[in-house]
Amino acid sequence: MGKKCQLDSGSTVNVLPKSKYLQVFDDPQLEKLSETDMTLVMFNQSEMTPVGVRRVLVRNPKNRKKYSVEFVVVDQTVKPILGARVIQAMNLITVNKHNLYPKAEAPKEVVLQASTTDNTMFEGLGKLAGKLHLEVDPTVPPTKIPVRRIPVSLKDRVQDELMRLTNLGVITPVTTPTDWISSIVVVKKHNGNLRLCIDPKPLNKALKRNNYAMPTIEDILPELNKARLFSVVDAKDGFWHIELDEESSYLMTFGTPWGRYRWIRMPFGISPAPEEFQRRLDEAPEGLEGTKAIHDDIVVFGCGDTDAEARQDHDRKLHALFDRCREKNIKLNKEKLKLCLSSVTYLGHVISESTQEE
């Protein structure tokens, strides 16, 4: 290809920005790209819709061998990425699976009873304190996008989802004039359900970000001294925990074949969302020992010189986190609970008792 790629063991696909694609290949009209209906979900839970895919030959500079690699081409400015499957096939990295810890069964008599019998943490819509006000660059003119056509096969399901979100208080109909009107984006999730978003491109040019420092796996490693037991909880419908103020809500107006709606809760896709959610999720468990929030996950780790000590330490910290979630009205995804494991996959990394020794 003549271009350097970043090796990303946490990526399931290979990614190429359109700008680099046009530099390498003679395809100014993108006619050689194949269509795809996939949606890329990034590490910060933002989403990207590809402009197409193409299979090309990639040469390993070390051994000069060629490999047939399918790249997903995106319109956004990102680094070219080679994903986990390709870089293992090219022997650029090696996964030493024999060093990974097997999953341990969750102790049922303490942790599972505390976590799964109290449904207040799992039902309904969570809400973190304080309404979000979004700042807009006044030099960017407002944009009104025409209503996007929805496939006939999805119309009934989209209309049902609009009604569900309205009943939940996530969106509400709009009947007054608005300066901004975004188009609706329908994403089919892995479980077959639909996710409704807005096309953020025009609006994101006007929205100001708060530039909150996003945590990385390196931020948690120093705290893993003597860690032996781990749990990870997932914030249910993460971004919807944040309520917009009225002015910001009208900025989030979007058009549908059945009229306009506006988001009452913070939607997926807008540029300030990941940082604003991370800031508030960081504040919620502040002061809790052995608890760290990264994106929509919160990891709890039990420490001790023995398994028994680590178990006791872990359960105490997990109960404290559950109490804080009830206090702060944070709702958790019951299906995604990972409780009392000797290792967990976190941000594309396996963390375990041996992590502290690396």
Side-chain angles (χ1 to χ4, degrees):
M1 287 179 56
K3 296 292 180 182
K4 294 182 178 180
C5 295
Q6 176 178 316
L7 309 184
D8 189 346
S9 60
S11 177
T12 57
V13 296
N14 313 294
V15 181
L16 190 64
K18 186 173 74 173
S19 58
K20 297 294 184 184
Y21 175 83
L22 294 175
Q23 291 176 17
V24 176
F25 301 104
D26 182 19
D27 186 19
Q29 304 301 320
L30 306 179
E31 297 174 343
K32 298 180 181 180
L33 292 180
S34 301
E35 294 184 358
T36 178
D37 59 357
M38 74 171 65
T39 298
L40 302 185
V41 181
M42 311 307 288
F43 71 95
N44 59 7
Q45 303 305 306
S46 63
E47 297 180 348
M48 292 193 299
T49 301
V51 296
V53 297
R54 182 175 176 183
R55 184 166 291 278
V56 300
L57 286 179
V58 175
R59 186 191 298 274
N60 185 336
K62 293 184 177 180
N63 57 21
R64 310 300 293 173
K65 288 185 178 180
K66 293 181 180 180
Y67 299 83
S68 176
V69 176
E70 182 180 77
F71 278 91
V72 179
V73 180
V74 298
D75 204 16
Q76 288 84 349
T77 302
V78 296
K79 293 181 179 179
I81 290 175
L82 288 179
R85 182 176 298 179
V86 168
I87 58 181
Q88 291 181 66
M90 296 175 69
N91 291 320
L92 297 175
I93 68 166
T94 301
V95 178
N96 297 315
K97 296 182 179 180
H98 61 279
N99 287 334
L100 303 184
Y101 276 61
K103 290 185 177 180
E105 291 190 5
K108 294 180 172 56
E109 66 274 14
V110 177
V111 177
L112 289 182
Q113 287 180 6
S115 62
T116 60
T117 59
D118 183 357
N119 287 325
T120 60
M121 291 187 297
F122 307 107
E123 296 179 347
L125 194 64
K127 185 168 71 172
L128 292 166
K131 294 185 178 182
L132 172 62
H133 177 73
L134 296 170
E135 296 287 343
V136 176
D137 183 348
T139 64
V140 179
T143 303
K144 297 180 180 180
I145 306 296
V147 174
R148 179 175 293 180
R149 186 180 66 85
I150 296 176
V152 175
S153 61
L154 291 179
K155 273 193 172 182
D156 289 343
R157 295 183 61 193
V158 171
Q159 194 170 15
D160 289 344
E161 183 66 5
L162 288 171
M163 182 64 68
R164 186 183 77 88
L165 296 184
T166 301
N167 292 335
L168 277 175
V170 175
I171 62 175
T172 190
V174 177
T175 57
T176 57
T178 56
D179 293 330
W180 287 90
I181 303 178
S182 299
S183 59
I184 189 174
V185 176
V186 181
V187 179
K188 185 177 291 186
K189 299 193 288 188
H190 294 300
N191 60 7
N193 294 334
L194 299 184
R195 171 182 290 166
L196 302 188
C197 312
I198 60 174
D199 184 349
K201 291 181 182 178
L203 183 59
N204 278 344
K205 294 179 181 178
L207 292 177
K208 297 181 179 180
R209 295 168 54 182
N210 63 12
N211 295 313
Y212 183 77
M214 300 292 285
T216 65
I217 189 65
E218 285 75 17
D219 294 324
I220 195 176
L221 291 179
E223 303 180 32
L224 295 179
N225 186 35
K226 295 185 178 180
R228 291 172 175 262
L229 201 60
F230 306 87
S231 287
V232 179
V233 301
D234 174 82
K236 181 182 177 183
D237 299 320
F239 287 180
W240 294 354
H241 277 72
I242 299 179
E243 186 177 10
L244 302 171
D245 66 13
E246 187 173 20
E247 182 181 349
S248 301
S249 177
Y250 277 101
L251 289 174
M252 301 294 116
T253 299
F254 62 97
T256 77
W258 306 278
R260 289 174 297 136
Y261 292 80
R262 60 183 170 94
W263 290 87
I264 299 174
R265 300 299 182 96
M266 187 174 69
F268 294 90
I270 61 172
S271 55
E275 294 167 345
E276 187 60 39
F277 178 69
Q278 183 65 57
R279 180 180 70 81
R280 296 186 182 219
L281 196 63
D282 280 346
E283 292 173 353
E286 190 173 13
L288 295 182
E289 181 188 1
T291 304
K292 191 74 174 179
I294 299 186
H295 309 309
D296 56 353
D297 286 337
I298 304 176
V299 64
V300 178
F301 41 92
C303 304
D305 293 323
T306 65
D307 290 344
E309 290 179 0
R311 163 70 188 284
Q312 184 177 14
D313 183 62
H314 165 275
D315 290 356
R316 174 180 59 82
K317 293 173 179 175
L318 188 61
H319 286 308
L321 174 61
F322 289 153
D323 289 340
R324 184 65 61 87
C325 288
R326 298 186 192 96
E327 175 189 344
K328 298 293 185 179
N329 198 15
I330 298 174
K331 301 300 181 181
L332 304 179
N333 193 325
K334 193 171 185 178
E335 287 70 33
K336 293 185 178 180
L337 286 175
K338 302 174 184 176
L339 297 175
C340 299
L341 303 177
S342 57
S343 69
V344 291
T345 301
Y346 200 66
L347 286 179
H349 298 262
V350 174
I351 58 174
S352 65
E353 181 183 359
S354 63
T355 304
Q356 60 188 295
E357 301 171 358
E358 297 178 358

